[in-house]
Amino acid sequence: MITMKDIVREGHDVLRQKAEEVSLPPTSEEKEMLNDMLQFIKISQDDELAEKYDLRPGVGLAAPQIGVSKRMMAVHFVDFHGKEYSYGLFNPKIVSHSVEQSYLPGGEGCLSVDRDVPGIVPRHARVTVKATTLEGEEIKVRLKGYAAIVFQHEIDHLNGVMFYDHINQDDPLTPPEGAISAEEI
């Protein structure tokens, strides 16, 4: 089982590397790791289990965050409209995105960052992601608002990018012109 002691923190080299593609079909070890990542996210959202195992709640986890430089990510969350997203993905890739930008009014957080980083993180309001699921199915998902933000955050990890890299250092709390809150999408 993955716990917080397995999560690498900012400053670790692996978080700044571009992760390697996973050769498909994935090995049983890679599948098991991705499944463990998904279970970690699910358990972290269960108040009782999170307390028992001393986990910070998360909605997504990328393999570099557990020290593995491979293009794998897991997400488990419900968006602002009540739709659930629960995936273990190999080689996720953004294949198209909107020009329109979006953001979370309260900023973003990260399991690999143990400090509060205030600031608006501009993201694409809509993205289309192609990936291979844990079950071996090739999928193409169209995402908007909060879901699009979560996926972009995790895919950034696969490219060595941290969420705070997107924050405007000169004016961190002002949303980009024309950007809309993810809550409104």
Side-chain angles (χ1 to χ4, degrees):
M1 180 180 151
I2 295 171
T3 64
M4 288 308 293
K5 71 176 175 19
D6 300 307
I7 307 289
V8 299
R9 303 311 205 276
E10 62 180 324
H12 193 292
D13 290 351
V14 74
L15 293 174
R16 290 301 188 176
Q17 295 168 5
K18 186 171 166 80
E20 308 257 331
E21 288 265 324
V22 175
S23 295
L24 299 175
T27 64
S28 54
E29 184 184 57
E30 289 165 336
K31 281 179 163 167
E32 188 178 329
M33 182 186 305
L34 186 52
N35 189 54
D36 288 349
M37 289 165 56
L38 185 55
Q39 292 315 307
F40 169 87
I41 293 299
K42 289 178 177 179
I43 292 168
S44 82
Q45 294 175 26
D46 179 307
D47 293 341
E48 249 176 64
L49 291 173
E51 189 174 331
K52 178 180 177 181
Y53 296 111
D54 195 26
L55 305 179
R56 277 181 37 208
V59 294
L61 185 66
Q65 292 181 273
I66 56 169
V68 177
S69 191
K70 290 188 177 181
R71 299 189 81 78
M72 298 170 17
M73 66 176 251
V75 295
H76 182 79
F77 62 94
V78 175
D79 72 10
F80 298 136
H81 305 289
K83 182 173 179 188
E84 183 181 272
Y85 295 82
S86 189
Y87 293 102
L89 299 174
F90 294 104
N91 303 327
K93 177 190 237 165
I94 295 171
V95 293
S96 68
H97 61 78
S98 64
V99 173
E100 182 179 40
Q101 290 189 312
S102 177
Y103 61 92
L104 288 173
E108 294 182 21
C110 181
L111 292 167
S112 293
V113 179
D114 291 330
R115 60 193 174 97
D116 187 32
V117 182
I120 297 295
V121 181
R123 301 279 187 189
H124 300 294
R126 290 172 184 74
V127 294
T128 300
V129 174
K130 269 187 173 178
T132 302
T133 67
L134 209 40
E135 298 75 34
E137 182 189 352
E138 281 191 38
I139 60 165
K140 186 176 182 177
V141 232
R142 288 183 174 76
L143 306 153
K144 63 182 184 176
Y146 183 64
I149 287 172
V150 172
F151 274 70
Q152 287 172 86
H153 180 112
E154 298 312 323
I155 290 171
D156 268 358
H157 277 304
L158 304 179
N159 294 319
V161 176
M162 300 294 283
F163 74 93
Y164 48 71
D165 296 343
H166 297 289
I167 297 173
N168 178 341
Q169 297 308 310
D170 297 330
D171 191 6
L173 301 176
T174 303
E177 194 177 323
I180 51 175
S181 164
E183 295 167 347
E184 297 172 28
I185 299 176

